Structure formats: C-alpha cells, structure tokens
Amino acid sequence: MEFGPIFKALKKRKAFAALIILQVAITLTVMIIALLVTRATLKEWNLPSGLDHDNIVAVYPQIFEESLNLKQTVEDDLHKIKQIPGVQLITPATQIPFSAENLTDVFIEDTEKAQSFQTSVFNLDVNGVAVLGLQLKQGRHFEDTEVIYNDNGQNTQPAVVMISEQMAEALFAQENPVGRSIYLGKNQPPVEIIGVYSNFMNGERLNFVGQSYRSVIRPMVEYIQGVDPNYLIRVEPGQTEVLLEEIRGKLYQTQGRFIQGVEFLSRTQKRMYDGRGSRSLIMLAVSFVLLIITGLGISGLISFLVAQQKKQIGTRRALGAKKFQIIRYYLIENSMITGIGLLLGVILSLVFLIIMATQSNSQLIHVGWIITITLFIWLISLVSALHPAMRAAKVEPAIVTRGA
Amino acid sequence: MFLYSLKLAKANLKNRPGLTLLTISAIAIGLALLTTTTTMSYQSSKIPLLEESEKIQTVLIDSRDQNARDITDVRRTPRLTYQDTQNLFTDATFPVEKTYLWKSFTFLNDENGDAHPRQVRTMAGLSNFFTMFKVPFLYGSGWSKADDENATPVIVLSYKMNQHFFGGENSVGKTIRINSSTLTVVGVLANWKLAARFYDRSFSTARFDDVFVPSSLALEINIPRRISCWEKDSEFVQDFSRENVNGLKASECTWLNLWVKLEDENQAKQYIDYLAQYVSDQKSFGRFPREHQPTLLSIKEYSELNSTNNTTLFIFALLSVLFFLVCLINTVGILLAKYMGKVPEIALRRALGAKKHVILMQYLIEIGLISFIGGVVGVILSYFGLKGMMKVYIYQSDYTVTADAIQHLYQLDWIMISQALLIAVGSSLIVSLYPVWKMCNTAPAGHLKAQ
C-alpha cells in the first residue's frame, strides 16, 4: 500500500502532523485518566439494595436532657409513632442500612488465631426483620422472649442471632449455618444462629471492599445515655414527606431532644452513592466534550489538507486512481498520524496514572480498558477523517486540465 | 498602522464566520474548565489568618506507645494529651502567647423550647482564643480570664445560632442551654470570614463552629469529647469521652490542640529545643516511649501541605490543563489552516511592498482578538461552571451545607479573571507565533506565478 508516499508527504507537513499528534495524545490521556478514575470510583456502585427502600423510614433522635428516662422515652416514642396513620411497624435500631459504619469482628471459633469476618451488626427488636421486609431463607424468626432489653448498665447478651445469606456463605460456605454458633468479637460468649435472611445493603465501609451484604441481626435494644437507638419504620406504600413531618412533630413533643433526621431509606441510599456518582459524572462529561472538540479539530485539519491537495488528487484520479484508493490514502495517512499520537498518549497517561496511584494508594491501571479506549479514539479519528476523505474522492480528474 | 492592522484583522474575522465561531468556542470551553478548576483550588487553598499565618504554629508531639503506627504524614500526628497541654501551657520559662482548645458536638436549646434544638459544633477553649485568632464580634465580647479559672457558665454564639435562637437580636446577657446546663451569652460573633477552620486542624472550609465555651466549664458540665486513645487506654474511650474527666486528664489519650505564636524563625528554633527538652524530661517519668522529635507546624505550612495533597483537585486540575491544551491546539490548527489559504494574498501584498512585520502584526492581532473574545466568553462560562460545581457539592453533602457557607470557595475574583484572560491571549499568541512567522516568510515569487 502507499505507506512510503504517505510518509514522504507527511514529512512536508510536519506542523499539521504534529498538531494532530498532540491533540490525539492529550485527548487519549484525558480519556484514559477520566475513565479509569471513574471506573475505580464506580466500583460497587448502585448495587441492588435488597430492601423496599421507598417504604421504610429511618429516624435519628438524640436525647440530651439528662433527666429524661431513656427507656420510658423510647417506649413512648414507639407507641406514639405506631398510632400515626400510614405506619405499619417500627423497631429501634442501632445502625441503619446504607449507613452502617460500625464494624464488628465475627469469629466462628473461640481460639486466639481464629479468622475474623468483618461485618455490620444490627440490633433490632422482634419486628426488625419484618420492618426491613427480609425473606426468611433458612431456619426461623426470632421469638418475643428472645429479645433482650438492656437498661442503663445492664449487659445481658442475646443467645441467638440471624445472619444474611452472604454472611452465611462467608462463614460456612455450603454448610447449613442454622444451629451453628458464632462469636461477635473476641472473648464474647457464643451465640446461636437460628435463621438466615435475604441479603440487604449494609453500608459504604463494607461495600467498598465488596462485602456489601454481610450482616448480623441481633435481637437486642439497649438504653445507654448518649447512644440513643434510632428507629426504622415500615410505612404503607405511597407515603410522602407529609408523614415524615408528622413523625418529626410527634417526636418534638417531648422536650429535651434533637431530631437529627427523619428520612426515607431511599434518601440514605442516595447519600451513600452521591459523592462517587457526581464526581464520575463530571469526569465523563468533560471527556465527552473533549472528544467532540478533538473530532472537530481532526476533521477540520484534514478538510484543509484536502482543499490544498485538490490538484494532486485530481492528477492521481486522472492517472487512474480509484475513488476508494483516494479514501484509503487519507484514512491510512490519518491512522499513521493518530497512531503516533495514541502511542504518546498511552505513555503519558501511564506516567500520570502511576503518579496518582502512588499518591492515593489505589490500583488504577487496567490494561483492557486502556486498549479499548485507545481503539475507540482511533475509531473516532477515522470517523472524523472519513468525511473529508470522501470529499477528496469526489475531486474530478478534469481539474488537472484547467489552468491555474 | 496599528489601527489599519486592526481593521484588516476584524475584516478577516468576518471572512469565515463559522470558522471564527468555532475557534472562539474552542478557546472559551477550554478556558472555562481551566478557570473553574483553578478558581476552586485557589479559593480552597487560601491561607487562614494570612498575616499571622507564619507566626502562629501548632505543637506536634507524638506521645503514643511503642507499638503505634509510624507517622508518615506530619499532619497525622495525634493531638496532645491533657498533661502535656497543661505542662506546656502553664510553664512560664518560655513566655510566649499560647492557647489551647478541643472540640465537641453538643445540643443547643432554649428553656421554653420555642426554637427547635440544634446539634452544634462546639469549641471549648480559653479566653485568649478570640484575641489571638482575631475573631470579630457583632455583640459583646469573649469571656474573661477569670471565667477560664472559675468555669463560669458563659457562652459565645456564632452569627447563625444567634439568628436561630434570638432572631438576630443582641442576646448578650440572655441565657441558653447546652445539653442540660444553662449558660449566659456574653458575645455573638459577626460573620467570621475564616478561609478554613484551622484551629482544630480540620481545615474544614464549609462547616464552622456554632458555639464557643470555656474549656474549664465544658469539662465541668461534661460535654462529650472527641478523643483518641492508644493501647492500654483504648478500652476506656467510651468512659473517658463521655463520663470520667479525671481519668481522661491522667490518661495518655490525645484530644487537645495547642497553638503558640512565635515572632521569628529564631524564636521558633528555641521553642523546638525547649519542646525537645520537655520530652526528654518527661521520658525520665517513663512517658514518650517513642523516638520522636517534637515539631511545630505553622498555619501556612499546614495549609500548603493540605492543598498539595488534595488528590481530587489534583486530578481535576490535571485534566483541565490537558483539556485546555487540546482546545488551544485545535484553535491554532484551524486558524493556520485558514491562513494557509491566504498565502497567495500575503505574497501579493508582500510584492506590492507591505513589510513582513506589518503582515505578521495583522495576523497576531487577529489571533489576539479571537483569543480575547474566547477568554471573555470562557470567564463567563466558568462563572456558571463554578455555580454548577457548588450545586454538585451541596447535592453531594446531601444538603447539610448551605450555599452561603461555601459560596466563597466558588467565587471568581479579579485575580482569577485577569489570569484567565492572560492565559487565553498569551498562550494562543505563543503557540501560533512560529507558524505565522513562517507563513509570512514565504517567498512571494512562487505564489505570484500561479496567479
């Protein structure tokens, strides 16, 4: 093919070649960085929650008045909220799905060197599993008598727990977990697993390491000053902000407390993913605009080249070159130039990626993605070159016969 | 002559309006992104308390046990223990202005419950906090030294909290409650425009403190403390942070920030020596088991460390610089393509006696004009870009920060605007100088023949 002549022709137009090379190199660098950072950011993003999060409300009350009796207040709250029309079930809760940040080390044996499984423990009362709408996969539900209520100072531990499917798999692989014992921390008494429920999202800390659904539900309510229980409420479908305001108003009837938030779990979920989502969106938008600009630029430059070379093209056509050969010429020429640019771009982006990876301690480089992005940009440059190349092919051979 | 060149340049712009529009928008888009990110990093790396930022320094001593993790980043040095803070603060052998403070979250509420209670960021410190850090007051003033000693129940409110609980009126002398304790308001801050909340080492730019109380009082009414405990103390974290003040005071838990004001480098060196002496004295009591050199970090040094280690902003800044380069190359490429078509015309003008520099000037003026218009449009776009980024941040924080708390971080000022215009015009001219020069240098004869 015409590599030789193209190369010779290019040497005469170094400036143009250099402009395209630079443009392609930098565009590729930006695209690779933006997309790989986005990839790292969006890892484990927007996974199924396993919850009916539009119909569950989380309440975060905080009591600061020391003279208030915590146990009494919580019991009153539960009673009051249950009276509100639209509310179905309620449970006190230490942690809230999507925001569980307190991790517990769980062990399956009581030895010094036992392997630890990090997980989120949710302390709920007997309604807990129903409020969250979890399905029972194995074993049975809690019974009323199994729920432990610890008033200030008491420290009784429940004898039974339920665990999620993912937790069961992590702990016992394919074996039946029901009836087995686990330890919620070093030097803790063993607790018996009585049931396995369907997976639900715990929170960002475990989600980030790919253990989004590891959880344990413990039938316990504790009244400790300063560590107030939150509430999880199952509401009838179709409830709106009006209900949230009503709950807030009811709770504020008791003086000496602050209601940090009353929200649907869908909002908690939104908060969990927000930071990552919007950052990636900006990156993607930036790369998209850049791609358009580069495409226009390449197209513009080659159009100009074509306009300049009308006569040569005409001569070639007059000498018998077919239309597709002219198109091929420009596409090959363009690919040769972009090829150099792409190579430069890959090198440049690797340099930056390595700098960033050491700075933020994360693994960013992914060969498959880099190759795909590079091919994609090559394709874009071909597409942008196609239109001017086709115009070149339309040059009439007769043009040569005309005087200048 | 210049006016003539300008006229020609203007005529040239109108020659291919589509192409001109394309070049202008390429510059504008590239510059808009660049200005948006540079403004964000410029505003967020502003140094708080600038005029004193080299003098006011925080004391960093690592009092942890032998097994604790090594400190690779000086900013991660733990805070100070109560013992060290007291020893260094009360010791008069090195007379220097100093203050200490710690942080808490409390609940601000009024007795009759007219306004809903608020969870508030609380600073517990000393009376000289307000003078040393030049805190502006709207009503009243800080508390007195005697209040520090007597743990008088007094409080200073932020502008925002005074709005919420007292409707913005002068509340000095009125009472308000923190958790279950009643305190008397002695001062209300004016709008304190601090670039970053440096004094608790968070350098937060969006969330500021709501209330200020004497440290002695805060310990007496036992508001919770945010503490870090190491090794043997770690099982008492709950107890020490909420209940047991005396236990905390005697422990090796770290939770206080100590700031000193040193006039010059010489004094700073002496102070470091003094700290080293203190550490070695304490070693004889069996404390400070680690090999550690006490250090000082000024507000300025601290801010600079923070801004050079901001990975997110670094990525955005890098991308936007590259982006701008592409736009620039694009513009110049398109312009040159356009000019190349003009070579015969240039040849003709040259043959008729036009000087090289006149032609050169004309094209540079044209490029200058295009890039200037692109620059202006770019600055306008970046204004909206910054607005958009602010919206994104507020959305990200799930509406826990308000627009007026962070507005200053997304504001263009004249420095940024002139810098943007300068970059647009300057870089376009520099990049196009050589090709335009070469074009003007083509020998007229060859092109004239063809005509």
Side-chain angles (χ1 to χ4, degrees):
Chain A
M1 277 194 281
E2 43 279 85
F3 287 112
I6 293 178
F7 195 68
K8 274 184 198 140
L10 270 183
K11 269 171 96 178
K12 287 206 166 165
R13 295 191 300 268
K14 278 179 239 152
F16 284 103
L19 283 180
I20 296 188
I21 289 176
L22 265 181
Q23 219 176 105
V24 168
I26 298 177
T27 307
L28 181 65
T29 313
V30 172
M31 290 284 285
I32 289 183
I33 295 177
L35 289 178
L36 287 188
V37 170
T38 304
R39 175 179 167 268
T41 324
L42 290 192
K43 209 178 71 184
E44 316 290 346
W45 191 71
N46 247 359
L47 293 173
S49 69
L51 292 170
D52 182 13
H53 41 74
D54 291 329
N55 297 317
I56 303 174
V57 172
V59 184
Y60 308 85
Q62 286 188 296
I63 294 170
F64 54 79
E65 181 58 66
E66 279 149 30
S67 55
L68 271 185
N69 180 325
L70 199 56
K71 182 167 189 275
Q72 192 57 50
T73 314
V74 171
E75 276 167 7
D76 287 351
D77 283 350
L78 296 182
H79 183 71
K80 258 193 245 167
I81 293 176
K82 243 186 280 180
Q83 307 299 315
I84 301 176
V87 170
Q88 291 179 332
L89 270 177
I90 179 167
T91 173
T94 43
Q95 307 210 72
I96 300 293
F98 304 114
S99 67
E101 297 298 314
N102 286 333
L103 302 186
T104 307
D105 285 316
V106 173
F107 303 90
I108 43 176
E109 44 193 26
D110 190 18
T111 55
E112 197 48 45
K113 289 217 172 85
Q115 188 199 348
S116 104
F117 297 84
Q118 279 203 315
T119 184
S120 311
V121 175
F122 293 79
N123 293 348
L124 307 173
D125 74 6
V126 73
N127 297 321
V129 177
V131 167
L132 293 176
L134 306 172
Q135 291 157 4
L136 188 68
K137 294 286 178 180
Q138 272 176 295
R140 61 168 176 90
H141 283 291
F142 295 122
E143 278 159 27
D144 273 337
T145 50
E146 287 169 332
V147 184
I148 302 292
Y149 293 88
N150 279 334
D151 206 353
N152 238 348
Q154 281 175 295
N155 188 19
T156 318
Q157 295 293 316
V160 293
V161 292
M162 287 174 81
I163 64 175
S164 71
E165 278 183 290
Q166 196 185 57
M167 190 70 195
E169 211 183 292
L171 291 175
F172 304 108
Q174 300 307 318
E175 293 168 48
N176 183 3
V178 176
R180 301 282 293 262
S181 283
I182 53 172
Y183 303 84
L184 305 180
K186 276 254 152 74
N187 307 323
Q188 294 289 320
V191 288
E192 189 196 333
I193 298 169
I194 56 152
V196 178
Y197 52 82
S198 57
N199 287 330
F200 72 92
M201 177 62 67
N202 43 37
E204 187 69 330
R205 269 183 81 182
L206 282 177
N207 181 41
F208 201 72
V209 290
Q211 301 170 347
S212 327
Y213 304 116
R214 279 196 189 178
S215 61
V216 170
I217 294 182
R218 179 163 50 174
M220 178 159 85
V221 180
E222 286 186 301
Y223 308 105
I224 306 172
Q225 202 72 42
V227 196
D228 310 350
N230 302 311
Y231 305 132
L232 280 169
I233 306 168
R234 154 80 43 173
V235 299
E236 281 165 17
Q239 294 297 332
T240 60
E241 299 282 324
V242 180
L243 178 77
L244 303 186
E245 271 319 302
E246 205 175 334
I247 295 172
R248 191 194 304 270
K250 273 264 159 51
L251 292 177
Y252 264 132
Q253 284 173 359
T254 317
Q255 291 261 319
R257 58 136 50 123
F258 169 70
I259 309 300
Q260 198 175 14
V262 182
E263 63 184 18
F264 287 107
L265 279 190
S266 33
R267 179 152 180 200
T268 325
Q269 185 188 32
K270 163 193 170 294
R271 195 163 51 233
M272 171 173 167
Y273 293 124
D274 271 353
R276 310 203 208 179
S278 37
R279 210 168 60 159
S280 315
L281 203 68
I282 293 173
M283 296 258 194
L284 288 180
V286 165
S287 349
F288 182 70
V289 174
L290 187 65
L291 209 59
I292 293 177
I293 289 184
T294 311
L296 282 178
I298 292 178
S299 193
L301 283 177
I302 294 182
S303 296
F304 169 74
L305 281 185
V306 170
Q308 277 230 306
Q309 297 173 337
K310 255 192 175 158
K311 264 176 120 179
Q312 283 99 311
I313 299 169
T315 313
R316 280 196 69 197
R317 293 274 284 128
L319 289 177
K322 301 235 166 59
K323 278 191 179 181
F324 87 88
Q325 283 176 317
I326 304 285
I327 297 182
R328 192 177 67 186
Y329 177 91
Y330 281 104
L331 291 189
I332 291 178
E333 181 189 67
N334 179 63
S335 296
M336 279 168 67
I337 303 177
T338 1
I340 303 175
L342 293 176
L343 190 70
L344 269 178
V346 169
I347 297 173
L348 203 62
S349 49
L350 281 179
V351 170
F352 284 127
L353 284 175
I354 291 171
I355 295 177
M356 281 187 307
T358 45
Q359 209 182 59
S360 65
N361 253 336
S362 55
Q363 174 62 34
L364 284 173
I365 298 172
H366 187 283
V367 179
W369 278 57
I370 293 181
I371 293 173
T372 316
I373 298 167
T374 311
L375 288 180
F376 178 68
I377 295 206
W378 176 62
L379 201 71
I380 293 282
S381 86
L382 272 190
V383 170
S384 352
L386 196 62
H387 175 68
M390 298 223 310
R391 269 219 332 237
K394 281 193 193 132
V395 172
E396 289 169 35
I399 202 166
V400 200
T401 58
R402 281 179 218 148
Chain B
M1 202 67 225
F2 178 79
L3 283 180
Y4 176 65
S5 297
L6 194 67
K7 215 169 110 191
L8 279 183
K10 263 201 279 187
N12 236 343
L13 283 187
K14 285 180 197 147
N15 192 358
R16 301 271 304 267
L19 224 50
T20 311
L21 200 69
L22 195 68
T23 48
I24 289 180
S25 46
I27 290 195
I29 292 174
L31 190 76
L33 189 71
L34 185 69
T35 312
T36 304
T37 55
T38 44
T39 305
M40 277 164 63
S41 57
Y42 159 80
Q43 296 287 18
S44 71
S45 58
K46 269 194 175 164
I47 297 170
L49 224 65
L50 184 63
E51 62 277 17
E52 308 252 285
S53 65
E54 281 171 89
K55 293 180 183 169
I56 296 182
Q57 319 221 20
T58 191
V59 175
L60 299 175
I61 302 178
D62 185 3
S63 58
R64 298 173 305 160
D65 55 275
Q66 204 78 54
N67 301 328
R69 235 179 250 168
D70 283 334
I71 296 166
T72 46
D73 180 348
V74 64
R75 295 173 301 156
R76 295 272 158 82
T77 315
R79 290 164 215 288
L80 299 184
T81 63
Y82 187 79
Q83 312 174 45
D84 294 325
T85 312
Q86 283 305 313
N87 292 343
L88 292 170
F89 184 76
T90 48
D91 182 18
T93 55
F94 200 106
V96 62
E97 194 178 350
K98 49 198 162 185
T99 193
Y100 67 83
L101 58 103
W102 50 279
K103 294 301 293 281
S104 175
F105 271 105
T106 60
F107 298 94
L108 197 60
N109 57 99
D110 57 2
E111 269 110 320
N112 36 27
D114 292 338
H116 280 329
R118 284 288 188 92
Q119 188 174 31
V120 290
R121 253 164 246 283
T122 308
M123 192 241 35
L126 302 177
S127 53
N128 66 349
F129 171 88
F130 302 99
T131 49
M132 193 161 161
F133 298 147
K134 303 203 160 55
V135 186
F137 276 87
L138 182 63
Y139 304 119
S141 64
W143 55 85
S144 70
K145 218 167 168 172
D147 295 332
D148 280 334
E149 281 150 25
N150 304 333
T152 323
V154 290
I155 186 169
V156 167
L157 298 179
S158 72
Y159 182 83
K160 218 169 87 190
M161 282 306 131
N162 192 52
Q163 286 288 335
H164 181 73
F165 284 97
F166 297 103
E169 282 171 34
N170 185 350
S171 57
V172 171
K174 297 192 176 156
T175 58
I176 195 161
R177 285 166 23 118
I178 271 196
N179 299 355
S180 308
S181 313
T182 305
L183 313 180
T184 308
V185 178
V186 290
V188 174
L189 299 194
N191 201 353
W192 189 14
K193 289 207 170 94
L194 195 61
R197 181 152 50 85
F198 70 90
Y199 50 82
D200 58 7
R201 289 174 56 192
S202 71
F203 282 80
S204 161
T205 48
R207 298 175 171 87
F208 292 96
D209 284 334
D210 303 302
V211 303
F212 305 80
V213 290
S215 169
S216 48
L217 169 83
L219 289 176
E220 194 172 284
I221 63 176
N222 214 350
I223 61 177
R225 304 152 282 274
R226 310 173 87 189
I227 64 175
S228 306
C229 294
W230 318 96
E231 200 155 61
K232 63 178 169 37
D233 293 324
S234 49
E235 57 184 297
F236 301 113
V237 177
Q238 272 296 326
D239 185 38
F240 285 168
S241 62
R242 310 200 69 97
E243 306 284 338
N244 188 348
V245 177
N246 288 330
L248 175 63
K249 282 179 174 177
S251 75
E252 290 287 344
C253 296
T254 54
W255 53 295
L256 295 118
N257 304 291
L258 177 64
W259 293 87
V260 293
K261 184 172 164 184
L262 300 165
E263 290 307 324
D264 50 36
E265 252 174 66
N266 197 18
Q267 201 182 16
K269 269 198 201 99
Q270 288 171 18
Y271 198 77
I272 288 187
D273 290 342
Y274 162 76
L275 289 176
Q277 184 58 45
Y278 170 75
V279 169
S280 71
D281 288 351
Q282 290 288 313
K283 271 182 193 271
S284 59
F285 298 116
R287 299 189 59 225
F288 295 105
R290 297 168 74 84
E291 277 305 315
H292 170 75
Q293 198 55 40
T295 40
L296 294 168
L297 210 52
S298 70
I299 299 176
K300 192 174 173 195
E301 291 163 329
Y302 216 125
S303 312
E304 285 168 355
L305 276 178
N306 282 340
S307 45
T308 50
N309 284 297
N310 191 333
T311 321
T312 311
L313 270 184
F314 172 78
I315 294 176
F316 275 130
L318 178 74
L319 291 186
S320 63
V321 168
L322 294 178
F323 189 101
F324 180 66
L325 273 182
V326 171
C327 293
L328 197 66
I329 293 170
N330 218 310
T331 311
V332 172
I334 294 170
L335 280 181
L336 289 184
K338 185 178 158 191
Y339 293 165
M340 280 297 174
K342 290 265 157 99
V343 170
E345 186 194 313
I346 295 174
L348 187 65
R349 284 180 66 193
R350 291 270 287 122
L352 291 176
K355 293 253 163 53
K356 228 184 260 174
H357 75 259
V358 174
I359 296 172
L360 185 72
M361 179 65 88
Q362 180 208 317
Y363 283 103
L364 289 185
I365 287 179
E366 188 183 329
I367 292 171
L369 260 179
I370 287 183
S371 54
F372 183 76
I373 300 174
V376 172
V377 178
V379 168
I380 296 171
L381 284 182
S382 70
Y383 169 80
F384 292 105
L386 286 165
K387 274 262 149 74
M389 293 300 274
M390 184 169 94
K391 287 254 165 67
V392 169
Y393 183 79
I394 293 175
Y395 171 83
Q396 257 183 32
S397 72
D398 200 43
Y399 308 100
T400 54
V401 291
T402 54
D404 47 290
I406 53 167
Q407 230 161 23
H408 62 280
L409 294 172
Y410 298 88
Q411 221 146 42
L412 280 171
D413 61 8
W414 287 111
I415 299 178
M416 290 325 280
I417 292 176
S418 34
Q419 186 189 315
L421 292 178
L422 212 67
I423 289 177
V425 177
S427 55
S428 310
L429 285 181
I430 291 171
V431 175
S432 50
L433 198 58
Y434 172 73
V436 171
W437 168 251
K438 237 190 134 188
M439 192 172 72
C440 296
N441 263 337
T442 42
H447 293 278
L448 284 177
K449 243 194 321 200
Q451 288 179 351

